[in-house]
Amino acid sequence: RGPNPQFFNAHALGINMTTLVPDDFRLSVSNPGFSVGCGTCSPAHLNVNTFQFADDVDVIRGKHHFGFGAEYIRTQNNLLTGYLQNGSFSFNGVGTNDSMLDFLTGTMSGFSQSLPQQPTIRMSIPALYAQDTFHAAARLTVNAGLRWEPMLWPQDLHHRGASFSMANFAAGIHSQVYPNAPAGALYYGDKGINASFTQDRKATFSPRLGLAWDPKGDGRQTLRVGGGIMYDVGQLYTAQRLTSDPPFVNEIDLTTSNPLGFSNPWTTGYNYPGGNPFPPQGAYFPQYALWIVLPQTALHPTSLYQWNASYQRQIGANLLATATYMGNKTSHIYTGQELNPAVYNPAVCAATKGGCSTKTTNQRKVLNIMNPSQGQYFGNLDLIDDGANANYNALLVSIQERLNRGVTFLANYTWSHCISDQDFGGDIGGPGFMNPYNLRQDRGDCNFDIRHIFNASVVATSPVKGKAFWSHLLGNWQVAPIIRALSGVPLTVTTGTDASLTGVNLDRPNYVAGANPYTTNWGSNIPQYLNPAAFVPNTPGTYGNLGRDVLRGPAQLQFDVSVSRIFGIHESTRLEVRAEAFNVINHTNFIAAATGTGIPGISTGGISLSRSSSTFGQITSAGDPRILQFAMKLYF
């Protein structure tokens, strides 16, 4: 993976910094502005290998159908990614209150750089299971099973990664492996630190039980109930974050309200101690670097307690109706918990040169206050925490008509509600909670909580029969419309600034009581969906009262239809004619989901949710208009 080979780098522009590859450059100017390059097109080699062995044995004895199985998976993730190796430059108006003017004058708001990431993650996943399908009676079937699948947390082949001990930091104890590392940092080979940097969980047994009952024994209705406990295994990509800890990658993020110099980012504006730290000499530990660590105690596997009940009934000869309740409780969802936030209180503000502001974030961090000589090496210190929880409840009803007089029909409706403390996205590269001292402030709807979903599809064949000309022309055509309607996806508004002065940078604003958070100002080419007057910035040192995911994007409606027919030309030759219309009613689906939502069937992006943005609340894109396509296919 990589950028255009005819691209350029910062050195080619005359910027005084180290560049590790010739064709990579990243720059962003906030709205209204532009961007050059991207993190996902920076040079990278990505290689994943998985080896699997599995065997299953089935034994039938009388009313029992026993199943036994064993599985072993060995998987590895080999990466060489340089997403920050040539730096990343950002401009947001910190100098002139105009981001474009800041760019023209070379006044940066942020700069980041690191060494390439080179994780070589390995993981073993063994598993055993046993189950029995027992025909307890003519109308009752019982299915019971037990699975053992221990969680063996992934390890880096070269033992990259670090751990952190608050007790060691407070006592001034240093690593034996890297004596020049800051106090509290521990590495593979130090006492109590294994190759996983956490403890494995081996007593993970997953039982399940299901019952299927035919109340009358006539095969026209079925009642099913079931439940089980399931565990997830470790994530390769989550584990790779540890390999970025100092001294392996040394990501340094210069974010300050002091303008930074574009021509010399390390010394102009910020005056980084010692100047440009790249390339480092030996095991180098930079000031205020990013650290991602695991708990030294055993990390719990994510566990899912699931239960369901469904009733299915045949109506007449062709209709089948189903009603299903599904519920689950998820425990130990992995999130990022900030261990080193900046402190805001009168005593700290009075003792800090420059007071409490974004200029003094690093000086006010917890570890820096405890021990400035050692705390200066820790910027954000984020623990991959397993303490988040979620629950989900849903009702699904459906009706299906089997082929009857040339028509089949299927419709279903789902009402669901998912509530969580946080949502796991696979990669934990920073804090996930707005307030590191009150995690419950982030409890709200899940990012993927779509409350209402309706789908309907029909396949109808024209009933014209016979041998007349019109019968040949009009017969055997198929019409297949599909309708999909969904309620809006959750939206979270942020301030876009660190008003709480914690360095977490996940602040949400205050909601103005009684104000309508939405607007109906659709008179311009850029609809204003959210009402800016309903959200005001939180005051310094406080957190806004607006909850996470409490707002909703607009609903979406998709109506597609196809018309097709196969003409028989000869015994072995057929011609298929097809016409398809997507969004046949040309309904405008405004896109107002946060970029990267990743919900199947939902368009994402197109709205700014940062209150500090000049385009806040504006929907800037829509789904596809009506699209028509025609095709012919010859079979011979």
Side-chain angles (χ1 to χ4, degrees):
R1 186 188 77 185
N4 188 314
Q6 297 179 348
F7 215 45
F8 54 90
N9 61 22
H11 184 72
L13 299 180
I15 299 172
N16 187 10
M17 61 173 290
T18 302
T19 55
L20 298 183
V21 292
D23 306 316
D24 183 25
F25 183 75
R26 289 174 55 191
L27 178 145
S28 65
V29 180
S30 62
N31 290 329
F34 66 95
S35 62
V36 177
C38 63
T40 54
C41 55
S42 59
H45 298 271
L46 307 101
N47 172 255
V48 179
N49 296 308
T50 300
F51 307 90
Q52 180 180 15
F53 166 82
D55 194 24
D56 301 274
V57 177
D58 288 270
V59 179
I60 297 176
R61 291 288 185 271
K63 297 182 178 181
H64 295 271
H65 182 171
F66 298 105
F68 306 93
E71 181 182 43
Y72 178 79
I73 297 174
R74 179 68 174 179
T75 184
Q76 55 180 252
N77 194 6
N78 305 298
L79 303 178
L80 173 57
T81 61
Y83 83 116
L84 284 176
Q85 64 184 351
N86 273 20
S88 178
F89 308 82
S90 58
F91 301 81
N92 68 5
V94 67
T96 64
N97 294 321
D98 184 290
S99 57
M100 189 64 73
L101 185 56
D102 273 9
F103 168 69
L104 293 175
T105 57
T107 307
M108 291 194 304
S109 60
F111 173 74
S112 299
Q113 192 172 11
S114 74
L115 296 172
Q117 294 177 311
Q118 303 179 71
T120 50
I121 305 298
R122 306 289 187 266
M123 180 169 62
S124 296
I125 309 173
L128 300 171
Y129 80 89
Q131 68 178 33
D132 180 20
T133 302
F134 173 45
H135 297 278
R139 293 182 290 160
L140 177 65
T141 301
V142 180
N143 184 287
L146 181 67
R147 182 180 180 88
W148 174 72
E149 190 173 50
M151 191 188 79
L152 311 178
W153 189 259
Q155 303 176 357
D156 184 74
L157 180 64
H158 301 287
H159 304 302
R160 300 181 185 94
S163 186
F164 178 76
S165 168
M166 183 63 78
N168 284 16
F169 179 85
I173 299 175
H174 292 260
S175 166
Q176 297 296 312
V177 178
Y178 291 102
N180 63 325
L186 296 168
Y187 296 86
Y188 176 74
D190 285 322
K191 183 178 180 181
I193 305 300
N194 61 25
S196 299
F197 296 96
T198 188
Q199 303 299 316
D200 296 331
R201 287 275 181 173
K202 298 179 181 179
T204 51
F205 295 93
S206 302
R208 72 171 188 273
L209 177 66
L211 305 176
W213 179 50
D214 182 349
K216 293 186 177 181
D218 58 1
R220 298 180 64 87
Q221 57 182 323
T222 305
L223 177 65
R224 296 181 177 90
V225 296
I229 302 174
M230 283 150 280
Y231 296 95
D232 201 357
V233 296
Q235 298 281 334
L236 288 176
Y237 206 73
T238 303
Q240 65 88 24
R241 273 291 180 177
L242 273 70
T243 66
S244 296
D245 290 338
F248 306 109
V249 171
N250 287 350
E251 179 179 334
I252 305 174
D253 304 306
L254 304 184
T255 53
T256 172
S257 58
N258 286 328
L260 303 173
F262 190 22
S263 62
N264 198 335
W266 291 108
T267 59
T268 306
Y270 195 93
N271 292 323
Y272 191 82
N276 184 359
F278 296 100
Q281 301 299 316
Y284 173 73
F285 292 87
Q287 278 191 325
Y288 308 117
L290 171 67
W291 298 69
I292 306 294
V293 297
L294 288 167
Q296 293 184 41
T297 57
L299 189 70
H300 293 85
T302 300
S303 55
L304 181 72
Y305 302 82
Q306 182 173 308
W307 53 92
N308 60 77
S310 68
Y311 177 70
Q312 195 171 56
R313 183 179 181 86
Q314 181 179 332
I315 303 171
N318 300 298
L319 284 178
L320 182 67
T322 306
T324 303
Y325 161 73
M326 296 172 286
N328 64 58
K329 166 69 167 59
T330 308
S331 300
H332 306 300
I333 299 172
Y334 300 152
T335 60
Q337 166 64 6
E338 181 58 55
L339 300 181
N340 192 32
V343 177
Y344 180 94
N345 64 45
V348 171
C349 295
T352 303
K353 184 179 180 180
C356 285
S357 70
T358 53
K359 298 179 182 180
T360 62
T361 297
N362 287 328
Q363 287 71 40
R364 294 182 293 104
K365 284 187 174 290
V366 170
L367 298 182
N368 198 73
I369 294 173
M370 291 176 59
N371 184 344
S373 67
Q374 300 301 309
Q376 66 177 319
Y377 296 102
F378 295 95
N380 278 15
L381 173 60
D382 296 299
L383 175 73
I384 298 179
D385 184 60
D386 60 11
N389 299 283
N391 63 71
Y392 173 85
N393 292 279
L395 175 66
L396 169 65
V397 292
S398 67
I399 186 166
Q400 177 180 2
E401 181 180 27
R402 293 181 291 187
L403 184 62
N404 180 30
R405 297 180 181 179
V407 177
T408 63
F409 172 75
L410 174 65
N412 57 63
Y413 166 75
T414 303
W415 176 93
S416 64
H417 191 193
C418 179
I419 301 174
S420 66
D421 299 321
Q422 280 292 323
D423 295 285
F424 176 65
D427 182 23
I428 299 176
F433 296 96
M434 175 183 70
N435 184 354
Y437 303 105
N438 184 0
L439 309 188
R440 296 290 292 183
Q441 282 187 250
D442 275 84
R443 188 166 179 82
D445 292 341
C446 301
N447 291 349
F448 53 85
D449 180 55
I450 303 176
R451 200 63 51 85
H452 305 279
I453 301 176
F454 173 78
N455 298 286
S457 63
V458 177
V459 178
T461 303
S462 59
V464 180
K465 304 292 183 181
K467 297 183 179 180
F469 171 78
W470 292 109
S471 299
H472 284 289
L473 183 64
L474 300 177
N476 295 319
W477 285 95
Q478 279 195 342
V479 179
I482 300 176
I483 298 175
R484 180 173 174 83
L486 308 98
S487 57
V489 299
L491 304 175
T492 295
V493 171
T494 61
T495 62
T497 61
D498 184 26
S500 64
L501 298 173
T502 58
V504 173
N505 290 300
L506 293 175
D507 287 8
R508 296 190 294 270
N510 284 310
Y511 168 65
V512 179
N516 184 357
Y518 307 100
T519 180
T520 56
N521 181 21
W522 303 95
S524 65
N525 292 329
I526 303 178
Q528 185 71 43
Y529 182 70
L530 297 179
N531 176 17
F535 312 97
V536 296
N538 47 317
T539 57
T542 68
Y543 301 95
N545 61 19
L546 185 70
R548 167 181 154 268
D549 285 342
V550 296
L551 302 172
R552 293 280 165 165
Q556 298 198 18
L557 174 65
Q558 185 74 18
F559 186 6
D560 305 328
V561 64
S562 70
V563 179
S564 64
R565 181 182 168 177
I566 297 179
F567 293 89
I569 299 176
H570 190 264
E571 290 182 355
S572 60
T573 307
R574 294 172 298 156
L575 178 66
E576 180 181 0
V577 178
R578 174 177 292 272
E580 295 173 318
F582 302 93
N583 191 13
V584 64
I585 60 176
N586 205 28
H587 176 74
T588 303
N589 284 309
F590 289 107
I591 301 173
T595 301
T597 300
I599 303 171
I602 295 293
S603 300
T604 60
I607 185 171
S608 171
L609 298 176
S610 172
R611 183 61 185 84
S612 62
S613 171
S614 60
T615 59
F616 167 71
Q618 294 179 3
I619 299 177
T620 57
S621 60
D624 291 331
R626 181 191 297 119
I627 297 176
L628 305 177
Q629 67 181 29
F630 306 89
M632 290 191 298
K633 186 175 183 179
L634 183 67
Y635 300 85
F636 59 92

Short mmCIF file of all heavy atoms in Angstrom, two decimals, residues 391-393 415-420 423 444-453 487-491 549 551-552 597 599:
data_model
loop_
_atom_site.label_atom_id
_atom_site.label_comp_id
_atom_site.label_asym_id
_atom_site.label_seq_id
_atom_site.Cartn_x
_atom_site.Cartn_y
_atom_site.Cartn_z
N ASN A 391 -26.09 -3.85 26.58
CA ASN A 391 -27.22 -4.78 26.50
C ASN A 391 -28.04 -4.46 25.26
O ASN A 391 -28.07 -3.32 24.79
CB ASN A 391 -28.08 -4.74 27.77
CG ASN A 391 -28.72 -3.39 27.99
OD1 ASN A 391 -29.63 -2.99 27.27
ND2 ASN A 391 -28.24 -2.67 29.00
N TYR A 392 -28.68 -5.49 24.74
CA TYR A 392 -29.43 -5.38 23.48
C TYR A 392 -30.71 -6.17 23.60
O TYR A 392 -30.72 -7.30 24.10
CB TYR A 392 -28.58 -5.94 22.33
CG TYR A 392 -29.28 -6.04 21.00
CD1 TYR A 392 -29.34 -4.95 20.15
CD2 TYR A 392 -29.87 -7.23 20.59
CE1 TYR A 392 -29.97 -5.05 18.91
CE2 TYR A 392 -30.50 -7.34 19.36
CZ TYR A 392 -30.54 -6.25 18.52
OH TYR A 392 -31.17 -6.35 17.31
N ASN A 393 -31.82 -5.56 23.16
CA ASN A 393 -33.11 -6.24 23.12
C ASN A 393 -33.78 -5.92 21.80
O ASN A 393 -33.73 -4.78 21.32
CB ASN A 393 -34.01 -5.78 24.27
CG ASN A 393 -33.49 -6.24 25.62
OD1 ASN A 393 -33.71 -7.38 26.03
ND2 ASN A 393 -32.80 -5.35 26.32
N TRP A 415 -37.70 -4.03 15.71
CA TRP A 415 -37.51 -2.95 16.70
C TRP A 415 -36.41 -3.42 17.65
O TRP A 415 -36.46 -4.54 18.17
CB TRP A 415 -38.77 -2.70 17.52
CG TRP A 415 -38.54 -1.65 18.59
CD1 TRP A 415 -38.76 -0.33 18.50
CD2 TRP A 415 -38.03 -1.89 19.92
NE1 TRP A 415 -38.41 0.30 19.67
CE2 TRP A 415 -37.94 -0.63 20.56
CE3 TRP A 415 -37.61 -3.01 20.61
CZ2 TRP A 415 -37.47 -0.48 21.86
CZ3 TRP A 415 -37.13 -2.87 21.90
CH2 TRP A 415 -37.08 -1.62 22.52
N SER A 416 -35.41 -2.58 17.84
CA SER A 416 -34.31 -2.98 18.71
C SER A 416 -33.79 -1.77 19.46
O SER A 416 -33.97 -0.62 19.04
CB SER A 416 -33.19 -3.63 17.90
OG SER A 416 -32.63 -2.69 17.00
N HIS A 417 -33.12 -2.05 20.55
CA HIS A 417 -32.49 -0.98 21.34
C HIS A 417 -31.22 -1.54 21.96
O HIS A 417 -31.25 -2.56 22.65
CB HIS A 417 -33.43 -0.48 22.44
CG HIS A 417 -32.95 0.78 23.09
ND1 HIS A 417 -33.49 1.26 24.26
CD2 HIS A 417 -31.98 1.66 22.73
CE1 HIS A 417 -32.86 2.39 24.59
NE2 HIS A 417 -31.95 2.65 23.68
N CYS A 418 -30.12 -0.87 21.69
CA CYS A 418 -28.82 -1.27 22.22
C CYS A 418 -28.26 -0.12 23.05
O CYS A 418 -28.24 1.03 22.59
CB CYS A 418 -27.86 -1.62 21.09
SG CYS A 418 -26.20 -2.11 21.64
N ILE A 419 -27.83 -0.41 24.27
CA ILE A 419 -27.26 0.59 25.18
C ILE A 419 -25.88 0.09 25.60
O ILE A 419 -25.70 -1.09 25.91
CB ILE A 419 -28.15 0.77 26.42
CG1 ILE A 419 -29.56 1.22 26.01
CG2 ILE A 419 -27.54 1.79 27.38
CD1 ILE A 419 -30.54 1.28 27.17
N SER A 420 -24.90 0.99 25.60
CA SER A 420 -23.54 0.57 25.95
C SER A 420 -22.80 1.72 26.63
O SER A 420 -23.17 2.88 26.52
CB SER A 420 -22.77 0.14 24.69
OG SER A 420 -22.56 1.24 23.83
N ASP A 423 -18.34 1.59 22.52
CA ASP A 423 -18.40 0.60 21.45
C ASP A 423 -16.98 0.24 21.04
O ASP A 423 -16.12 1.11 20.86
CB ASP A 423 -19.16 1.15 20.25
CG ASP A 423 -20.62 1.39 20.57
OD1 ASP A 423 -21.37 0.40 20.65
OD2 ASP A 423 -21.00 2.55 20.75
N GLY A 444 -24.82 5.33 26.81
CA GLY A 444 -25.89 5.78 25.92
C GLY A 444 -26.15 4.75 24.85
O GLY A 444 -25.70 3.59 24.94
N ASP A 445 -26.85 5.14 23.82
CA ASP A 445 -27.16 4.21 22.74
C ASP A 445 -25.88 3.78 22.02
O ASP A 445 -24.93 4.55 21.91
CB ASP A 445 -28.10 4.87 21.73
CG ASP A 445 -29.48 5.12 22.30
OD1 ASP A 445 -29.83 4.48 23.31
OD2 ASP A 445 -30.20 5.97 21.75
N CYS A 446 -25.87 2.55 21.56
CA CYS A 446 -24.73 2.05 20.79
C CYS A 446 -24.62 2.83 19.48
O CYS A 446 -25.62 3.34 18.96
CB CYS A 446 -24.90 0.56 20.49
SG CYS A 446 -25.04 -0.48 21.95
N ASN A 447 -23.43 2.89 18.94
CA ASN A 447 -23.22 3.60 17.68
C ASN A 447 -24.06 3.02 16.55
O ASN A 447 -24.40 3.72 15.60
CB ASN A 447 -21.75 3.56 17.28
CG ASN A 447 -20.88 4.39 18.21
OD1 ASN A 447 -21.40 5.15 19.02
ND2 ASN A 447 -19.58 4.26 18.09
N PHE A 448 -24.36 1.73 16.62
CA PHE A 448 -25.09 1.06 15.55
C PHE A 448 -26.57 0.86 15.90
O PHE A 448 -27.25 0.04 15.28
CB PHE A 448 -24.45 -0.30 15.24
CG PHE A 448 -24.28 -1.18 16.46
CD1 PHE A 448 -25.30 -1.99 16.91
CD2 PHE A 448 -23.10 -1.16 17.17
CE1 PHE A 448 -25.16 -2.78 18.03
CE2 PHE A 448 -22.93 -1.96 18.29
CZ PHE A 448 -23.97 -2.77 18.72
N ASP A 449 -27.07 1.60 16.88
CA ASP A 449 -28.45 1.42 17.34
C ASP A 449 -29.43 2.05 16.35
O ASP A 449 -29.70 3.25 16.40
CB ASP A 449 -28.62 2.03 18.73
CG ASP A 449 -30.03 1.88 19.25
OD1 ASP A 449 -30.52 0.74 19.29
OD2 ASP A 449 -30.67 2.90 19.58
N ILE A 450 -29.96 1.25 15.46
CA ILE A 450 -31.00 1.69 14.54
C ILE A 450 -32.31 1.13 15.08
O ILE A 450 -32.54 -0.07 15.06
CB ILE A 450 -30.74 1.18 13.11
CG1 ILE A 450 -29.37 1.67 12.63
CG2 ILE A 450 -31.83 1.66 12.16
CD1 ILE A 450 -28.98 1.13 11.28
N ARG A 451 -33.18 2.01 15.57
CA ARG A 451 -34.34 1.55 16.34
C ARG A 451 -35.36 0.80 15.48
O ARG A 451 -35.98 -0.15 15.94
CB ARG A 451 -34.98 2.77 17.02
CG ARG A 451 -35.88 2.44 18.21
CD ARG A 451 -35.11 1.79 19.33
NE ARG A 451 -33.91 2.54 19.70
CZ ARG A 451 -33.92 3.57 20.56
NH1 ARG A 451 -35.03 3.97 21.11
NH2 ARG A 451 -32.78 4.17 20.87
N HIS A 452 -35.57 1.25 14.26
CA HIS A 452 -36.60 0.64 13.41
C HIS A 452 -36.00 0.25 12.06
O HIS A 452 -35.33 1.06 11.42
CB HIS A 452 -37.77 1.61 13.19
CG HIS A 452 -38.38 2.14 14.45
ND1 HIS A 452 -39.30 1.43 15.18
CD2 HIS A 452 -38.18 3.31 15.12
CE1 HIS A 452 -39.66 2.14 16.25
NE2 HIS A 452 -38.98 3.28 16.24
N ILE A 453 -36.26 -0.98 11.63
CA ILE A 453 -35.81 -1.46 10.32
C ILE A 453 -36.97 -2.22 9.69
O ILE A 453 -37.54 -3.14 10.29
CB ILE A 453 -34.59 -2.38 10.43
CG1 ILE A 453 -33.42 -1.66 11.10
CG2 ILE A 453 -34.18 -2.89 9.05
CD1 ILE A 453 -32.21 -2.55 11.32
N SER A 487 -34.79 3.92 10.50
CA SER A 487 -34.72 5.15 11.28
C SER A 487 -33.28 5.63 11.34
O SER A 487 -32.35 4.91 10.95
CB SER A 487 -35.29 4.92 12.68
OG SER A 487 -34.60 3.88 13.34
N GLY A 488 -33.07 6.84 11.83
CA GLY A 488 -31.75 7.45 11.80
C GLY A 488 -30.76 6.79 12.73
O GLY A 488 -31.11 6.20 13.75
N VAL A 489 -29.48 6.93 12.38
CA VAL A 489 -28.41 6.38 13.21
C VAL A 489 -28.03 7.40 14.29
O VAL A 489 -28.26 8.60 14.14
CB VAL A 489 -27.17 6.03 12.36
CG1 VAL A 489 -27.53 4.98 11.33
CG2 VAL A 489 -26.61 7.27 11.69
N PRO A 490 -27.43 6.96 15.40
CA PRO A 490 -27.07 7.88 16.48
C PRO A 490 -25.97 8.85 16.07
O PRO A 490 -25.09 8.53 15.26
CB PRO A 490 -26.59 6.94 17.59
CG PRO A 490 -27.15 5.60 17.26
CD PRO A 490 -27.21 5.56 15.77
N LEU A 491 -26.04 10.05 16.63
CA LEU A 491 -25.04 11.09 16.39
C LEU A 491 -24.56 11.63 17.73
O LEU A 491 -25.35 11.79 18.66
CB LEU A 491 -25.63 12.24 15.57
CG LEU A 491 -26.26 11.90 14.22
CD1 LEU A 491 -26.90 13.15 13.61
CD2 LEU A 491 -25.23 11.33 13.27
N ASP A 549 -24.46 9.89 21.82
CA ASP A 549 -25.40 9.25 20.89
C ASP A 549 -26.87 9.55 21.23
O ASP A 549 -27.74 8.69 21.05
CB ASP A 549 -25.18 7.73 20.86
CG ASP A 549 -23.94 7.34 20.08
OD1 ASP A 549 -23.45 8.18 19.30
OD2 ASP A 549 -23.45 6.21 20.25
N LEU A 551 -28.59 12.07 19.81
CA LEU A 551 -29.23 12.64 18.63
C LEU A 551 -29.32 11.59 17.53
O LEU A 551 -28.65 10.57 17.57
CB LEU A 551 -28.44 13.86 18.14
CG LEU A 551 -28.25 14.97 19.17
CD1 LEU A 551 -27.30 16.03 18.65
CD2 LEU A 551 -29.58 15.59 19.55
N ARG A 552 -30.17 11.87 16.55
CA ARG A 552 -30.39 10.92 15.46
C ARG A 552 -30.28 11.60 14.11
O ARG A 552 -30.72 12.73 13.92
CB ARG A 552 -31.79 10.29 15.59
CG ARG A 552 -31.95 9.41 16.81
CD ARG A 552 -31.36 8.05 16.57
NE ARG A 552 -31.18 7.30 17.81
CZ ARG A 552 -30.95 6.00 17.85
NH1 ARG A 552 -30.86 5.31 16.72
NH2 ARG A 552 -30.78 5.38 18.99
N THR A 597 -18.93 5.09 10.56
CA THR A 597 -19.89 4.31 11.35
C THR A 597 -19.83 2.84 10.97
O THR A 597 -19.87 1.96 11.83
CB THR A 597 -21.31 4.86 11.15
OG1 THR A 597 -21.34 6.22 11.58
CG2 THR A 597 -22.32 4.07 11.97
N ILE A 599 -21.97 0.83 9.41
CA ILE A 599 -23.16 0.01 9.59
C ILE A 599 -23.59 -0.52 8.22
O ILE A 599 -23.78 0.25 7.29
CB ILE A 599 -24.30 0.83 10.21
CG1 ILE A 599 -23.85 1.44 11.54
CG2 ILE A 599 -25.55 -0.01 10.40
CD1 ILE A 599 -24.82 2.43 12.10
#
